[in-house]
Amino acid sequence: MNWISNIALAIAAFIHFLPVSGIVGKTSLEKLYGVSIDDPNLLIAMQHRALLFGLLGVLFVVAMFKVDLRLLAMCFGLVSTVGFIAVAWQVGDYNPLIARVIKADAIVIVALIIGLINEFWFTKS
């Protein structure tokens, strides 16, 4: 049943790699999130965010091959996605592109929960 966990991790990796293009700069980030980035400090934070998503995506891919990292990767992914949705709902008044991110994060949450269920109930010896 490792394929179930691998599919969950692959979905999470794919979605987390999407915003990595933001590393290249302001224009890419503005297109991704539908916001204007006029403050260089915000640009730094957003580019760093893109980098961290890339690292998390790499962790998901590595965890597909290193079983010992699966729980860690899935938990990190859940904290990241649930955290983003919680912040977005708490702040409110987000634009349609942020709403799209929330939908993508919801897909990741479902995939990772299925992966965790698989890890705990079906792959333990």
Side-chain angles (χ1 to χ4, degrees), residues 60 69-80 112 116 120:
F60 293 137
L69 293 177
R70 285 189 181 162
L71 293 178
L72 177 72
M74 290 180 190
C75 289
F76 278 16
L78 283 173
V79 169
S80 173
L112 292 177
L116 282 171
F120 281 112

Side-chain angles (χ1 to χ4, degrees), residues 25-100:
K26 177 181 171 178
T27 303
S28 180
L29 287 165
E30 289 177 336
K31 286 180 185 175
L32 280 168
Y33 297 106
V35 297
S36 176
I37 301 175
D38 297 323
D39 182 344
N41 298 297
L42 178 58
L43 179 58
I44 292 166
M46 292 298 288
Q47 284 182 294
H48 185 253
R49 180 180 192 276
L51 173 67
L52 292 176
F53 274 116
L55 291 174
L56 193 51
V58 168
L59 176 61
F60 293 137
V61 171
V62 171
M64 291 171 68
F65 302 97
K66 299 280 288 172
V67 176
D68 293 347
L69 293 177
R70 285 189 181 162
L71 293 178
L72 177 72
M74 290 180 190
C75 289
F76 278 16
L78 283 173
V79 169
S80 173
T81 52
V82 169
F84 182 81
I85 291 173
V87 169
W89 284 351
Q90 189 258 333
V91 171
D93 197 31
Y94 42 82
N95 69 29
L97 291 176
I98 297 297
R100 184 176 68 181

